Amino acid sequence: CEVRPGPEFLTRSYLFYSNRLFKALQFYYWDPSCRDPSYSLVIKGKLRLRQASWITRGATEADYHLHKVGIVFHSQKAMREVASWINQTSGEGCRGFLPPGRSWAPGALYEVLSAKTERDCTAALGFAMHELSLVRVERHFQPLLQPQHSGSRLVEELYLGDIHTDWGERLHYRPTGYQRPMQSALHHVHPCPACGMISGADEHHPPILPARAALPMQLSGSWVSTHCEVRPAVLFLTRYFTFHGNNHTWEGRYYHYSDPLCRQPTFTIYASGHYTQGIPSSKVRGGTELAFKVTRARVTPMDQLTVVMLNSSEAGSCGLAGSWSAGVEQDITPTNGCLALGIKLPHTEYELFKTEQDTQERSLLYIGERPTDGSSPDSPDKRPTSYQAPLIQCAAASEEFSSYISLKYMGRKDANGIEALKPLPVAFLLFIALLFLRWD
């Protein structure tokens, strides 16, 4: 069950044909468990892949054209609410979309966009398919989980463009990051109980996902990225957090890279501070609202370009002016952060958290999605209404992970002369067997 900014709760099933036509199904729900459907959209059009993206490395740019969009309501309440949106906010051609008092007809399909008649009533829904303008396909192998079996199975994942966190911008925004990947119906991660349900659904029969027990917010412990994450504005990174529940303090490390495989490090940020007791979110059901205060930070430049940038920054704005060198960590707390990297100290962020268990009963932590415009959620009204890719809980802050977060150089040797663990391989060896990639 996906959470989009708003919040919106949905599941998606997309089918791409060899003649470039596509049919996309989007199922919307009232609840964050995707068990109470509101309405479904059936979207038909054509997609043309273009060239490799100049902005987001590893992605392919694409053009799409919508032929028609239809909507099926799953209750009178949904029909009344959507009709009200369209009648109030659309142009002359849409105001009579549904007459007031029209009774709900189960299974009826209403056209909200038609290229043939040039009618488009989708804006009121906050609907756009700009996600199709940025495409990436990843293929890797997943080890078989059963102890008696050896080998691996092919997994194919489709990354589509991200959705702008500001509702008013999403209709015009051209993505530079990704949403969480969609799984191939044939070659998906196992186990995946929802995959078969969603791929077998249609606009008249939306998937009802299995009920899941609500988990209490248990932050204590260490959490790490499961893969190289891509954020808007061309940011590639992995994250590692430790939360200390006994005194409500936290520390995190953000490993930044210049490539979509997270193999070419640019700089690392270490930050620490404290956080408040969480309260249930009134806006995003299932989420918990917290406030995080960042009081200390350190930066380690990892390539020469970053070193040059930091050394050319204004005196007093980012550590000791002119003293930066690759692989050497420097405290930026005395200069109240680092202007060149957009870090201000002290700093408070208003966050949204959620914990879940995946199908293998591993604990996942979802942290609020960062604003697409690059700003910070530094006031309650800017608190996220959707989530980033989940972090997975480490068994505890083991020595292995302590080594992982303390090393400065990729390939550096420890005190015993043994080559150190590298940020990307540690995360991948622990959580993903990523053998090769292919993007179309």
Side-chain angles (χ1 to χ4, degrees), residues 249-267:
T249 60
W250 69 278
E251 51 189 323
R253 294 185 187 264
Y254 306 80
Y255 298 91
H256 290 260
Y257 303 83
S258 62
D259 69 298
L261 299 182
C262 288
R263 290 178 177 171
Q264 299 166 18
T266 52
F267 63 93

Side-chain angles (χ1 to χ4, degrees), residues 136-144 150-157 226-227 261 263 424-425 427-439:
R136 171 172 165 169
V137 174
E138 272 194 18
R139 291 179 175 179
H140 62 269
F141 286 94
Q142 178 191 19
L144 298 178
S150 61
S152 57
R153 63 166 58 88
L154 175 67
V155 172
E156 292 184 311
E157 295 178 316
T226 62
H227 63 281
L261 299 182
R263 290 178 177 171
L424 180 70
F428 270 65
L429 288 172
L430 285 169
F431 306 113
I432 293 179
L434 181 59
L435 300 185
F436 67 90
L437 299 171
R438 171 180 174 242
W439 36 83

Side-chain angles (χ1 to χ4, degrees), residues 198-209:
I198 298 171
S199 64
D202 60 44
E203 60 268 30
H204 304 293
H205 307 92
I208 309 298
L209 299 192

Side-chain angles (χ1 to χ4, degrees), residues 49-221:
L49 298 177
R50 296 170 57 207
Q51 71 277 346
S53 173
W54 288 89
I55 300 174
T56 307
R57 290 179 61 187
T60 297
E61 294 179 357
D63 291 327
Y64 72 92
H65 178 69
L66 297 182
H67 296 159
K68 58 176 64 177
V69 178
I71 188 168
V72 175
F73 302 106
H74 302 304
S75 68
Q76 180 72 39
K77 176 187 174 185
M79 182 178 185
R80 188 168 54 245
E81 188 167 291
V82 172
S84 171
W85 296 342
I86 293 177
N87 289 338
Q88 288 177 18
T89 61
S90 299
E92 289 295 329
C94 298
R95 288 215 175 106
F97 171 69
L98 285 175
R102 176 84 170 265
S103 61
W104 169 54
L109 178 69
Y110 302 92
E111 195 172 77
V112 290
L113 180 148
S114 170
K116 188 175 292 186
T117 63
E118 298 184 350
R119 184 180 192 227
D120 184 358
C121 305
T122 61
L125 301 174
F127 169 82
M129 287 298 287
H130 298 326
E131 61 192 274
L132 294 178
S133 62
L134 197 70
V135 181
R136 171 172 165 169
V137 174
E138 272 194 18
R139 291 179 175 179
H140 62 269
F141 286 94
Q142 178 191 19
L144 298 178
L145 299 176
Q146 295 83 359
Q148 66 272 24
H149 295 144
S150 61
S152 57
R153 63 166 58 88
L154 175 67
V155 172
E156 292 184 311
E157 295 178 316
L158 172 64
Y159 288 80
L160 296 177
D162 61 303
I163 308 298
H164 202 289
T165 53
D166 184 337
W167 183 280
E169 297 293 331
R170 64 195 296 179
L171 299 183
H172 317 287
Y173 172 65
R174 294 293 170 174
T176 55
Y178 301 118
Q179 300 174 67
R180 290 189 63 197
M182 300 179 75
Q183 301 288 320
S184 164
L186 293 178
H187 305 292
H188 55 75
V189 170
H190 285 262
C192 180
C195 291
M197 295 179 184
I198 298 171
S199 64
D202 60 44
E203 60 268 30
H204 304 293
H205 307 92
I208 309 298
L209 299 192
R212 304 180 70 174
L215 293 179
M217 176 60 65
Q218 297 285 355
L219 271 185
S220 295

